[in-house]
Amino acid sequence: MVSYGGSRKRQLESGESEPKPKRKRATGGETLVYLQEKSEKEFELRKAELEIKKKEVENNREVEMTLQKQQQQQFMDFQKTIMEHAKYDELNDKAINMEAGMKKLKDENSILKRDLANTKGENDLLKIAQDELEQYGRRECVEIRGIPLVPDENTNEIVIKLASKLGIDITKTDISISHRLGTPAAGSTRSGRSFINPKTKSTQGLQSKIVENNIEITDTKTIAETFNKYFSSIGSRIVDSISSNDISPLEYMDFSIPTSFFLSPVTANEIQLEIAKLNISKTSGPFSIPTKLLKNLYCNISEPLEILYN
């Protein structure tokens, strides 16, 4: 404790410290200055806090805007994905429709090909039928060449004279019509054509005879038996005329023989052409199938036969 009654010297000798000076009471002006400084410091602190809060708000706003942009981008991506899926579904539907259309076109093409093959086969049949009709129409037509052209000639008489020299009895009633071919030139021997009616043609002038072993045979039955005997024994007679030897037949071949062979596949069109060539007037095959029936059904049986043959 500081003794207020002691002297300064005694305080120093006793080792006591110098007492603190008493604080002076501030005046009104100093108080105002102090309060003003304090308020300014508080204002600065408040201002700094507000700046910090403002920055925090701005940062939060930037974060919110970033999140909002991300959400918008995600939403746009989601919409794009939906549109792509819708477009994919649309393209898928178009592809399915195109595939169905292609299948339909393929089926129609197959039908058209079959119809074309049938039409081609029918055309070939018509050509063959037309040729047969033309051949049938020309059955009475005989073309004679090398007869000199004579002024005011009678072609019917020329045909009758020529037939008589050949030993054939023909009258005017047997000839339908006869004429020269084309416009004849001077000194020409242009061929002529005559149409002979086979129903009224006389065959009395035909000579039926053969000579066998210097013996003349005129009987038709004997002639038929002679021909039958000749052709039925010609094979054995040819074999007997060949001298026997031990030479291999392969030695007569001057080319190499392949060890395998290849048969090209048969097409339905080729089968139709072969059916078209059949003659309906001939007898049926080993299965007794009428030729007319085969020709009528050639379009339906050509493809199954193609499968069987190949």
Side-chain angles (χ1 to χ4, degrees), residues 24-302:
K24 294 181 180 180
R25 185 179 298 273
T27 61
E30 293 176 350
T31 303
L32 291 174
V33 172
Y34 172 74
L35 292 175
Q36 185 177 0
E37 291 177 354
K38 184 178 180 181
S39 62
E40 289 178 356
K41 290 180 179 179
E42 290 178 354
F43 177 76
E44 292 294 335
L45 291 174
R46 180 64 62 180
K47 184 178 179 181
E49 290 178 357
L50 291 175
E51 290 291 336
I52 292 171
K53 288 183 178 180
K54 184 179 179 181
K55 289 182 179 180
E56 290 178 355
V57 171
E58 290 178 354
N59 292 333
N60 292 333
R61 186 176 296 174
E62 290 179 358
V63 172
E64 289 179 358
M65 291 180 66
T66 303
L67 292 175
Q68 187 177 2
K69 288 181 180 180
Q70 290 179 355
Q71 290 178 355
Q72 289 179 355
Q73 185 65 34
Q74 290 177 357
F75 180 74
M76 292 176 64
D77 293 340
F78 180 71
Q79 283 184 337
K80 186 177 180 181
T81 304
I82 293 175
M83 291 177 65
E84 288 178 352
H85 281 293
K87 189 175 181 180
Y88 172 77
D89 294 336
E90 183 180 358
L91 292 175
N92 190 24
D93 294 338
K94 288 183 179 179
I96 293 173
N97 294 332
M98 289 179 64
E99 185 177 359
M102 290 292 292
K103 186 177 183 302
K104 184 178 179 181
L105 290 175
K106 187 176 180 180
D107 295 338
E108 291 178 355
N109 190 21
S110 300
I111 295 173
L112 290 175
K113 283 184 178 180
R114 185 172 64 250
D115 293 341
L116 180 61
N118 295 338
T119 304
K120 187 175 181 181
E122 291 176 357
N123 188 23
D124 295 334
L125 287 176
L126 290 175
K127 287 182 179 179
I128 294 173
Q130 182 182 2
D131 185 66
E132 291 178 354
L133 289 175
E134 290 178 354
Q135 292 293 336
Y136 181 79
R138 290 192 293 264
R139 72 191 187 281
E140 300 178 3
C141 181
V142 178
E143 185 174 349
I144 304 172
R145 294 176 178 269
I147 299 177
L149 182 62
V150 179
D152 300 328
E153 65 182 1
N154 189 334
T155 55
N156 288 347
E157 293 180 357
I158 294 175
V159 173
I160 293 172
K161 290 180 181 180
L162 179 62
S164 64
K165 291 183 179 181
L166 296 175
I168 302 173
D169 185 14
I170 295 179
T171 62
K172 291 183 179 181
T173 57
D174 297 329
I175 302 174
S176 300
I177 186 175
S178 63
H179 60 84
R180 291 277 181 176
L181 294 179
T183 304
S188 173
T189 58
R190 191 178 297 274
S191 62
R193 179 177 294 176
S194 61
F195 299 91
I196 301 174
N197 190 348
K199 295 182 179 179
T200 60
K201 183 177 64 176
S202 175
T203 58
Q204 295 178 359
L206 295 177
Q207 298 180 1
S208 300
K209 65 178 180 179
I210 61 173
V211 178
E212 184 184 19
N213 298 327
N214 297 325
I215 300 175
E216 184 176 314
I217 302 173
T218 57
D219 182 55
T220 56
K221 185 176 180 180
T222 306
I223 292 174
E225 291 178 354
T226 304
F227 274 110
N228 184 29
K229 181 180 178 181
Y230 175 80
F231 286 107
S232 61
S233 61
I234 188 172
S236 59
R237 287 189 285 107
I238 292 175
V239 171
D240 295 337
S241 64
I242 299 174
S243 59
S244 60
N245 52 54
D246 298 332
I247 301 175
S248 174
L250 298 177
E251 296 183 5
Y252 292 97
M253 300 181 181
D254 56 353
F255 56 89
S256 61
I257 302 174
T259 57
S260 63
F261 60 92
F262 174 75
L263 297 177
S264 59
V266 180
T267 63
N269 190 26
E270 292 175 344
I271 296 174
Q272 292 178 4
L273 292 177
E274 293 300 325
I275 294 176
K277 294 178 182 178
L278 296 177
N279 191 348
I280 59 176
S281 62
K282 301 296 182 180
T283 57
S284 303
F287 298 103
S288 301
I289 301 176
T291 307
K292 188 174 182 180
L293 179 63
L294 293 176
K295 286 197 170 186
N296 291 333
L297 299 177
Y298 75 98
C299 294
N300 299 323
I301 64 176
S302 58

Side-chain angles (χ1 to χ4, degrees), residues 9-21:
K9 183 178 179 180
R10 193 171 49 248
Q11 290 178 351
L12 293 173
E13 289 177 353
S14 61
E16 295 179 359
S17 62
E18 185 177 358
K20 294 181 180 180

